[in-house]
Amino acid sequence: MHHSMRVRRFGAVIGAAAALSLALSACGSDTEKTEAKSVVDKAKESKKLVVGIKYDQPALGLKKPDGSFDGFDVDVAKYIAQQLGVPESGVEFKETTSANRESFLGGGQVDLVVATYSITDARKQQVTFGGPYYVAHQDTMVRADDNSIKKAQDLKGKKLCKAAGSNSFRRVTEGPPDGKLAISGVTLVDASSYSECSAKLKAGALDAVSTDDLILAGFAAQQKGSFKVINDPFTDEKYGVGIKKGDTKTCEAVNQAIQKMYSDGTAKTLLEKHFSGTGLKLVTTAPQMEGCA
């Protein structure tokens, strides 16, 4: 009896709140606008942006021992911020992991996420994506002196890293969504992260690491001369800028910034700054934007 009362009372409260918000929005769109201000408007006024990045990916998003940040994602974020009217000093970086990117955007802990964040249909249900600012491809990294693995198929009978929380190994053993690959006879070796995969590859505890080519090239750049990327790509990973679901105004502004970054030559400069000498074939023409619907 009490239980149903409580539920009913709760329902009434929600009903009243809904009626109130309806009444408010009917008063005119001014209150509405200040209520849900887009990130691009907030940025223009406050000259500040909070951007979620990875802290543990060399050449992409890396927090250095002195507390500064380095990488392609970091530089792309700074460029976009500048185009939105925010100086470098107004950009605050916050660590986002694969697990918390959606909740951080939804809860407003970060304004944008630039963190090797692949655009997928499932994620589009929860997040609005600007970009892509780069299309990476899953590839494979081996020791520089290992010539027995020249293409993905050569992983048969080899030891491949299985990084916790990542699905990349599955695309080798089970095949990507379009059904290519599916290589049998691969031995999986567990690691907690791609930095541990990289250490185990160097030590000879495994033969190959397979994930996005930019992530691999970052480790290759960090460990100068130890590794090589074999340039046999088999998926498209469209790196997008995560934005709170429904903020299309910010999405449009981010897309304009990305197109400008390619047309003014900045993208090429940044890609070469972080990835030259890794053997990775870099694409320096603007990717096709996904659209902000």
Side-chain angles (χ1 to χ4, degrees):
M1 156 83 191
H2 283 303
H3 182 64
S4 64
M5 275 296 293
R6 208 164 55 231
V7 171
R8 262 215 305 282
R9 212 166 31 228
F10 186 54
V13 170
I14 288 182
L20 185 65
S21 69
L22 274 175
L24 278 175
S25 60
C27 298
S29 55
D30 286 347
T31 34
E32 191 77 354
K33 277 204 192 76
T34 50
E35 191 74 13
K37 194 174 280 180
S38 71
V39 163
V40 63
D41 290 335
K42 269 195 340 208
K44 264 201 197 79
E45 286 170 25
S46 69
K47 303 278 179 251
K48 285 187 169 65
L49 262 182
V50 182
V51 183
I53 58 166
K54 291 278 181 84
Y55 274 17
D56 61 350
Q57 289 179 340
L60 281 154
L62 189 69
K63 185 174 187 179
K64 300 202 297 204
D66 66 3
S68 65
F69 300 98
D70 176 63
F72 180 62
D73 284 353
V74 172
D75 287 343
V76 167
K78 286 178 186 170
Y79 183 91
I80 291 171
Q82 189 192 341
Q83 298 301 310
L84 300 185
V86 176
E88 192 171 316
S89 58
V91 179
E92 181 197 333
F93 289 110
K94 201 172 217 156
E95 183 173 24
T96 48
T97 61
S98 300
N100 68 20
R101 290 178 293 207
E102 287 83 8
S103 62
F104 272 28
L105 281 167
Q109 282 100 318
V110 295
D111 298 314
L112 303 174
V113 169
V114 187
T116 61
Y117 199 4
S118 297
I119 301 171
T120 65
D121 288 336
R123 287 173 182 163
K124 277 183 173 176
Q125 306 306 306
Q126 304 178 65
V127 170
T128 292
F129 281 104
Y133 59 92
Y134 195 78
V135 181
H137 308 283
Q138 185 163 340
D139 211 320
T140 305
M141 179 172 76
V142 299
R143 283 181 294 280
D145 58 3
D146 184 349
N147 295 316
S148 68
I149 304 171
K150 289 189 166 67
K151 51 189 196 303
Q153 294 294 346
D154 297 337
L155 291 170
K156 193 180 170 76
K158 300 284 187 180
K159 292 185 191 138
L160 178 70
C161 200
K162 178 187 175 186
S166 172
N167 287 314
S168 296
F169 74 92
R170 284 205 177 89
R171 295 185 180 151
V172 174
T173 57
E174 296 167 22
D178 60 9
K180 290 195 297 266
L181 247 51
I183 301 162
S184 58
V186 176
T187 305
L188 297 172
V189 177
D190 283 303
S192 61
S193 64
Y194 281 106
S195 31
E196 194 185 333
C197 285
S198 160
K200 286 189 167 183
L201 178 62
K202 198 172 183 180
L206 47 88
D207 303 307
V209 182
S210 183
T211 190
D212 306 359
D213 51 11
L214 285 189
I215 296 176
L216 296 174
F219 286 112
Q222 186 188 48
Q223 304 284 338
K224 297 196 188 337
S226 301
F227 304 135
K228 63 185 175 190
V229 178
I230 65 173
N231 279 306
D232 182 22
F234 52 87
T235 66
D236 286 346
E237 306 295 334
K238 300 174 189 169
Y239 286 170
V241 176
I243 302 162
K244 189 172 185 170
K245 179 87 175 135
D247 188 352
T248 44
K249 185 174 183 183
T250 300
C251 179
E252 303 286 359
V254 165
N255 284 359
Q256 275 181 320
I258 290 168
Q259 280 160 322
K260 186 174 177 203
M261 181 176 79
Y262 277 89
S263 64
D264 71 11
T266 302
K268 181 177 193 286
T269 305
L270 294 179
L271 285 162
E272 285 171 353
K273 168 185 166 187
H274 293 293
F275 302 107
S276 68
T278 59
L280 182 68
K281 294 184 178 76
L282 294 166
V283 180
T284 56
T285 50
Q288 178 68 46
M289 296 291 115
E290 287 277 292
C292 294

